[in-house]
Amino acid sequence: MSRGATYVRKGIVSKGVGFGSALAIAISFTTHKSILWAIFHGFLSWLYVIYYALTR
């Protein structure tokens, strides 16, 4: 049973990281209108999303 639980956790974490990056890229591009900034903020993912939420 522990093997199944480990598999489910890995699946959830990988989807969460992907959503955070996509959200950061969308926010960054609409704010700065720059693909380079959007890529950079995509690497930061949730850190940038939290920063944006706190400063706006």
Side-chain angles (χ1 to χ4, degrees), residues 20-29 31-32 34-49 51-52:
S21 295
L23 184 59
I25 290 169
I27 291 170
S28 178
F29 188 75
T31 303
H32 302 289
S34 170
I35 294 174
L36 293 176
W37 275 118
I39 292 169
F40 176 70
H41 291 141
F43 284 120
L44 297 177
S45 69
W46 285 110
L47 293 175
Y48 180 70
V49 172
Y51 167 79
Y52 182 82

Side-chain angles (χ1 to χ4, degrees), residues 9-23:
R9 285 186 205 145
K10 286 181 181 178
I12 291 171
V13 170
S14 70
K15 287 181 185 2
V17 171
F19 178 72
S21 295
L23 184 59

